[in-house]
Amino acid sequence: MSTSKDSLGHDLEHAPPIDRVAERKLIRKCDLHVIPILALLYSLAFIDRINIGNARLQGLEKDLNMKGQDYNIALFVFFIPYILFEVPSNILIRKVSPSTWLSSIMVLWGRWIITVCMGVTKSYAGLVICRFFLGLFEAGFFPGCMYLISMYYRRYELQWRFSLFFCASILSGAWSGLLAYALAHMAGIGGYNGWRWIFIIEGLATVVIAVIARIFIVDWPEKAKFLTTEERQLLLRRLSEDGAEARMDRLDKKARKRVFGDWKIYVGILMYLGVVNTGYSTSFFLPTILSELGWAAARAQVLSIPIYIVSAVTALSAALLTDRLRHRYAFTMLGVLIATIGYIILLAQHSVSVGCRYFAVYLIMAGGYITQPITLVWLSNNMGGHWKRSINAAMQIGFGNCGGIVASNIYITSQRPTYPVGYGVSLALLLVCGITCTIFFVGLKLENNKRERGERENRYDLPTEEIENLGDDHPKFRFVY
């Protein structure tokens, strides 16, 4: 049986107890250096992705002569490269420093795609091409951040930190509406309509901040410059103890088989796909949905702000509780239940008041944003080793974003203002999320029981180099749920 060691080769079984004061200081230091800069960048990334919804209200479709489902197609093309390039990107970030990779791709989509092209395009075809390349360059950002954050925290520390990062996207939806409302008043300046200035100003902000961010984005824990040598050793030790020898530092043939043959990843994809559709539906269509309730474009954008704020508060509250209680499954189901009630109200909207329909949007977003970040962290919690987490994050987020493709095509223009297909499909996908979360929960519990009974001890008969690269297949690893 192998001896427990951290990633630097230090013997964990005979190491002195961890200094808890030094540990708390280390965690606070990581919190200050890892999360804030990534949260800021993600808020900009999310705004660059969804600002097309605000631009739509300010005359985008009219100026580019868009008709029928043209808007939906412009949303759809983003996801083709976004899905296909997430796994290659997370393989590259493992070989390149995160600070260089993340800041570089932000500059590419901010300057060359959003600012120069989307803000000045004269045709619908130009818009579609811009959206395609936006998806290409943005593909690596979110899974890269997910992977990077997961490498700094223990499993029951991760949800709170990741949700702080994730809520940047929720709150960016709030101030994106406010900013779009302000930028719309620039209509006429330089001969541009207001929607063009939304793309140009927000894109320029992305470029400037991404260049500066290169200095502040952290690299992998073993190379973290903001930590002293002693702090790096302490960080790696506590992570190794939490992972119970679940290492995967080589991506050889056997490791690839373990990664791509892991049922948990594919269930995790369906969990995320089922709920991310709700996230994208509200991001892309919330201003339109609110305007269909009878409010003018400007008022609809302003009324979207409190919805995002409430969603952020509920997401953070759930994150804090799920870490404190050391439980994930019940919280995913709670979010599914809340959002389901919202969709049922909107499907029966002819029988309810406008105020009730507005409240239903709160329920949908709050419920969706409780569940969505937990599905990501829950799967990551049950992945062992550098390479396993890297590929898992990219696959779950990448293929799970097929939910974004669905969201782009189910809100049919001719079905305004009731959108029965949009709400019905979104409700069905939420049920898929709930079912797969249940399958995941039961599967993890059964596997833990097998390991407790010693049914995986035969893996100790494998060659030593393979035992040290088993990831979460290591017999000592226990799954969380």
Side-chain angles (χ1 to χ4, degrees):
M1 206 173 282
S2 62
T3 302
S4 299
K5 294 181 179 180
D6 64 18
S7 58
L8 294 177
H10 298 136
D11 187 350
L12 296 178
E13 293 183 358
H14 302 95
I18 288 178
D19 182 339
R20 298 306 171 187
V21 175
E23 184 180 33
R24 286 192 293 270
K25 180 181 177 182
L26 170 66
I27 294 172
R28 286 194 298 269
K29 198 170 183 179
C30 290
D31 289 343
L32 290 173
H33 285 82
V34 177
I35 305 299
I37 185 61
L38 294 181
L40 173 62
L41 295 178
Y42 186 44
S43 69
L44 294 172
F46 201 75
I47 286 174
D48 287 341
R49 189 188 311 175
I50 69 168
N51 54 14
I52 190 171
N54 292 314
R56 185 188 195 189
L57 290 185
Q58 302 302 331
L60 168 73
E61 290 176 302
K62 181 180 178 181
D63 288 358
L64 298 184
N65 298 312
M66 295 165 63
K67 301 175 183 178
Q69 296 300 105
D70 284 352
Y71 177 73
N72 301 71
I73 294 171
L75 299 181
F76 165 77
V77 296
F78 168 89
F79 291 99
I80 299 172
Y82 189 79
I83 292 168
L84 294 177
F85 286 93
E86 293 212 2
V87 172
S89 177
N90 254 27
I91 291 175
L92 283 173
I93 197 176
R94 180 72 181 95
K95 298 176 180 294
V96 181
S97 67
S99 56
T100 299
W101 181 251
L102 296 176
S103 59
S104 296
I105 59 177
M106 280 201 74
V107 170
L108 285 171
W109 87 62
R111 180 170 182 176
W112 299 113
I113 304 303
I114 297 297
T115 305
V116 179
C117 299
M118 290 185 73
V120 300
T121 185
K122 300 295 184 182
S123 67
Y124 170 64
L127 176 69
V128 171
I129 292 171
C130 289
R131 291 286 298 178
F132 178 88
F133 282 101
L134 176 64
L136 173 65
F137 290 125
E138 198 180 326
F141 186 77
F142 185 49
C145 289
M146 173 74 198
Y147 174 30
L148 180 60
I149 294 170
S150 72
M151 298 308 296
Y152 272 87
Y153 296 99
R154 287 184 170 183
R155 289 186 285 177
Y156 286 117
E157 297 168 347
L158 182 58
Q159 186 67 63
W160 170 248
R161 274 78 182 183
F162 179 75
S163 289
L164 285 172
F165 160 78
F166 185 83
C167 278
S169 70
I170 304 176
L171 294 175
S172 68
W175 64 275
S176 172
L178 189 62
L179 182 58
Y181 174 71
L183 293 177
H185 288 84
M186 294 180 66
I189 297 177
Y192 287 161
N193 203 345
W195 67 266
R196 295 186 182 275
W197 285 112
I198 291 174
F199 288 134
I200 292 171
I201 299 300
E202 293 178 357
L204 279 172
T206 298
V207 174
V208 173
I209 295 175
V211 171
I212 299 172
R214 168 68 178 81
I215 305 169
F216 299 99
I217 299 173
V218 300
D219 289 318
W220 304 117
E222 56 269 23
K223 297 180 181 178
K225 295 178 181 178
F226 71 93
L227 298 176
T228 65
T229 301
E230 292 75 17
E231 287 171 334
R232 279 195 296 272
Q233 291 176 348
L234 175 57
L235 177 61
L236 294 171
R237 176 184 168 185
R238 65 193 304 275
L239 293 174
S240 295
E241 289 179 352
D242 184 54
E245 299 186 51
R247 296 172 57 189
M248 188 175 282
D249 300 326
R250 301 185 314 277
L251 192 61
D252 53 26
K253 183 177 180 180
K254 290 181 179 179
R256 288 194 295 271
K257 185 176 180 180
R258 291 187 184 281
V259 172
F260 294 108
D262 190 345
W263 68 272
K264 298 191 298 297
I265 293 178
Y266 300 99
V267 172
I269 289 171
L270 291 175
M271 287 160 48
Y272 186 63
L273 187 154
V275 71
V276 80
N277 170 78
T278 288
Y280 278 121
S281 294
T282 52
S283 297
F284 289 143
F285 293 97
L286 181 59
T288 302
I289 291 170
L290 295 182
S291 68
E292 296 294 343
L293 294 180
W295 294 311
R299 190 183 180 196
Q301 287 175 327
V302 173
L303 285 172
S304 70
I305 295 171
I307 300 176
Y308 284 109
I309 293 173
V310 169
S311 299
V313 171
T314 55
L316 289 175
S317 300
L320 186 62
L321 287 171
T322 189
D323 271 350
R324 290 279 180 87
L325 298 176
R326 294 176 170 252
H327 183 74
R328 307 292 192 214
Y329 171 64
F331 289 94
T332 63
M333 299 306 290
L334 174 64
V336 167
L337 176 61
I338 292 172
T340 295
I341 295 171
Y343 279 123
I344 291 173
I345 293 173
L346 289 183
L347 284 168
Q349 59 183 278
H350 289 302
S351 306
V352 298
S353 65
V354 171
C356 189
R357 280 177 268 168
Y358 183 52
F359 176 67
V361 178
Y362 277 90
L363 293 177
I364 290 169
M365 288 194 64
Y369 284 127
I370 287 173
T371 301
Q372 188 175 335
I374 294 178
T375 61
L376 293 169
V377 171
W378 190 13
L379 182 58
S380 178
N381 283 165
N382 291 294
M383 297 289 113
H386 243 304
W387 280 110
K388 191 77 177 283
R389 287 189 183 179
S390 168
I391 296 173
N392 151 70
M395 288 183 65
Q396 185 184 24
I397 295 169
F399 295 111
N401 266 293
C402 289
I405 294 179
V406 175
S408 302
N409 291 285
I410 56 178
Y411 288 86
I412 302 168
T413 304
S414 61
Q415 294 185 345
R416 291 178 174 179
T418 56
Y419 297 115
V421 171
Y423 299 141
V425 171
S426 296
L427 176 59
L429 284 175
L430 265 185
L431 296 179
V432 170
C433 176
I435 291 169
T436 49
C437 283
T438 302
I439 292 171
F440 195 58
F441 169 72
V442 173
L444 296 179
K445 198 171 180 65
L446 291 174
E447 179 60 27
N448 269 359
N449 290 340
K450 289 180 179 180
R451 296 186 183 196
E452 292 295 338
R453 294 194 297 266
E455 294 180 23
R456 303 302 188 205
E457 298 294 307
N458 61 313
R459 291 174 184 167
Y460 284 122
D461 297 330
L462 296 170
T464 301
E465 63 176 16
E466 188 174 350
I467 294 174
E468 293 175 349
N469 206 50
L470 284 174
D472 51 83
D473 281 340
H474 196 285
K476 285 188 177 181
F477 189 84
R478 293 296 181 270
F479 298 107
V480 299
Y481 41 78

